[in-house]
Amino acid sequence: MRTRGLRRAALVGVLVAGLAGCRQDMHDAPRYDPLEASAIFPGGASARPLVEGTVARGHENDDELLMTGKVDGVEADLFPFAITRADLDVGETRFNTYCAPCHAPSGEGDGMVVQRGYRQPPSLHIDRLQYAPAGQFYDRITNGFGVMPSYRSQIAVEDRWRIVAYVRVLQASHQGTRDDVPAADLERLDNPEPTPDASEDAH
Amino acid sequence: MSQIFPKSANALARMGLVGAVGFVLCLGLVVFTLFRSTWATKQHEFVEQPIQFSHAHHVGGVGIDCRYCHTSVEKSAFAGIPPTQTCMNCHNQIWTNAPILEPVRASLRDDTNLHWTRVHDLPDFVYFSHQIHVKQGVGCATCHGPVDKMPLVYQAQSLLMEWCLDCHRAPEKYLRPREEVFNMAYEAPANQLELGRQLKAEYNVASVEHLTSCSVCHR
């Protein structure tokens, strides 16, 4: 009786172990997840670096203004496509994601990373930048400038232009006068809400 | 001829039969419970990483948006792990000599990869896509928990299929407006179900019949 019970328990144990074995095989199929480690390739990475100069099929674009911000080699004060309200909204999100850490949501250049010691960029509202061509902003985002790194790999081409459009909005907002404020918002202008204290996390 | 079995053998045999069935059931229950336990799912376990990268500091403290590093979350299945250069966007100027960042500098210097340990690892037979979830108003924190408060990332949810289905059966319980998806401080309003139903219609979220059919996640 007891040996039979033991044998049964052993059988169940083997079945359970067998099931667990199947489970892991199915969990980790013999294929690579994105960026999964590889035993085959040098460097241990399954994601292989692109051969220099690779252009993905269907992604070649020789529109000079769109891709470089220039027309005949000169930075142009033009946008390669018409900017809509939706583009500005995307531009705002992208600006607040990629630019605001240094340039601050206001564009004044005192973002959180600058407060932690990064070199302060000039305000986007100084005369020189106020009158700089749109293509120049596009070029700086794409190629970097001074200590600012290139954002080519983080921001898609069209989104870079939407950011430039939003920078124009920010700049216009700083040129506004009291007369530009809708009557309904005047009270909010005169009694601004206290800004939250940003120095909470001092580390 | 004397009997081989004493009279009590009858009772023992019956008890043995019941006991054997009970034993198998109990074992099943134990295995079932174990597979669903946090011990098996690794829920709430901090995972050691090559660098003690703190989301609490970068997201909660500095206020960097998820997408600064996880750039492909809106347009691909994989949210994206940043290349070393993204770290260096800031750390070529701040904390440049911090010993904690030596592996990052070494990675850039020697052109080698940082070997992060994956925390949220779905089985390979699940074809999950970040893109559709983000687009339909599922907040980062809904699945990943309060990442802005995690000094080291842990898996906030069980990632069991029953957990996926909880939302796929009734997305209105969790949906939020698209513009709040990346907001880590977002709190569901009191009328969540009402809002959820409204968003579900507005974003054309698929029917529950579709969302709970096998081939939506398994191919």
Side-chain angles (χ1 to χ4, degrees), chain A residues 1 8-9 12 16 20 23 26-29 31 33-35 43-45 93-94 97-98 101 112-113 116-119 147 149 151 154 156 201 203, chain B residues 16 20 23-24 27 31 35 57 61-62 64-65 67-68 71 74-75 78 81 85-86 89-90 92-95 113 115 118 121-125 127:
Chain A
M1 201 67 216
R8 198 171 291 169
V12 171
V16 168
R23 192 171 178 271
M26 297 289 283
H27 273 224
D28 300 316
R31 62 165 166 81
D33 287 339
L35 302 188
T93 309
R94 297 288 180 257
T97 298
Y98 299 103
M112 281 297 260
V113 174
R116 307 294 161 98
Y118 207 91
R119 191 192 298 173
V147 295
Y151 278 83
Q154 278 162 280
D201 176 68
H203 174 66
Chain B
F23 177 76
V24 171
L27 197 72
V31 170
F35 274 111
H57 166 65
V62 183
I64 295 172
D65 190 281
R67 290 164 287 185
Y68 189 92
T71 52
E74 289 176 295
K75 51 193 177 213
F78 185 54
I81 295 296
Q85 180 54 48
T86 302
N89 281 357
C90 295
N92 64 358
Q93 283 211 32
I94 53 181
W95 295 79
N113 301 303
H115 293 262
R118 197 165 180 158
D121 193 11
L122 291 177
D124 282 1
F125 48 78
Y127 292 80

Side-chain angles (χ1 to χ4, degrees), chain B residues 142-193:
Chain B
T142 304
C143 303
H144 291 288
V147 176
D148 60 325
K149 297 185 178 67
M150 295 183 189
L152 265 181
V153 169
Y154 57 85
Q155 183 184 311
Q157 302 289 348
S158 71
L159 304 189
L160 289 171
M161 188 169 118
E162 62 183 31
W163 169 78
C164 301
L165 283 173
D166 176 43
C167 186
H168 273 220
R169 283 186 181 127
E172 61 272 13
K173 288 197 285 184
Y174 302 101
L175 295 186
R176 52 171 91 174
R178 265 177 203 149
E179 56 274 18
E180 300 291 350
V181 164
F182 297 91
N183 178 2
M184 297 307 291
Y186 179 82
E187 279 177 29
N191 64 341
Q192 171 62 42
L193 284 180

Side-chain angles (χ1 to χ4, degrees), chain A:
Chain A
M1 201 67 216
R2 189 180 283 170
T3 52
R4 248 180 95 186
L6 273 176
R7 217 180 268 170
R8 198 171 291 169
L11 187 69
V12 171
V14 167
L15 276 177
V16 168
L19 281 174
C22 290
R23 192 171 178 271
Q24 282 318 307
D25 280 356
M26 297 289 283
H27 273 224
D28 300 316
R31 62 165 166 81
Y32 290 122
D33 287 339
L35 302 188
E36 190 172 325
S38 162
I40 302 171
F41 296 108
S46 60
R48 308 311 304 149
L50 299 176
V51 175
E52 194 147 346
T54 302
V55 177
R57 204 182 171 99
H59 283 255
E60 188 187 30
N61 199 327
D62 53 9
D63 183 336
E64 189 194 11
L65 178 61
L66 177 73
M67 299 306 285
T68 67
K70 293 173 186 171
V71 171
D72 299 328
V74 182
E75 284 162 351
D77 200 13
L78 286 171
F79 285 86
F81 52 90
I83 301 294
T84 63
R85 176 61 202 242
D87 289 321
L88 288 179
D89 288 341
V90 173
E92 179 180 11
T93 309
R94 297 288 180 257
F95 181 90
N96 287 334
T97 298
Y98 299 103
C99 314
C102 287
H103 290 278
S106 65
E108 278 165 8
D110 56 349
M112 281 297 260
V113 174
V114 169
Q115 291 172 37
R116 307 294 161 98
Y118 207 91
R119 191 192 298 173
Q120 180 156 4
S123 162
L124 297 173
H125 308 295
I126 61 174
D127 278 356
R128 176 167 62 82
L129 295 177
Q130 188 83 36
Y131 298 110
Q136 183 176 329
F137 291 97
Y138 176 86
D139 176 76
R140 301 303 188 251
I141 300 171
T142 307
N143 299 315
F145 184 70
V147 295
M148 175 176 154
S150 157
Y151 278 83
R152 186 193 295 266
S153 70
Q154 278 162 280
I155 313 173
V157 168
E158 285 80 7
D159 282 357
R160 289 176 222 158
W161 283 108
R162 293 180 182 119
I163 289 175
V164 177
Y166 180 69
V167 167
R168 286 294 192 230
V169 172
L170 274 182
Q171 290 174 331
S173 77
H174 274 57
Q175 297 297 307
T177 63
R178 197 179 165 83
D179 296 338
D180 295 324
V181 180
D185 291 327
L186 270 177
E187 204 209 329
R188 221 151 51 89
L189 184 73
D190 295 331
N191 304 299
E193 292 162 25
T195 47
D197 185 11
S199 62
E200 263 175 45
D201 176 68
H203 174 66

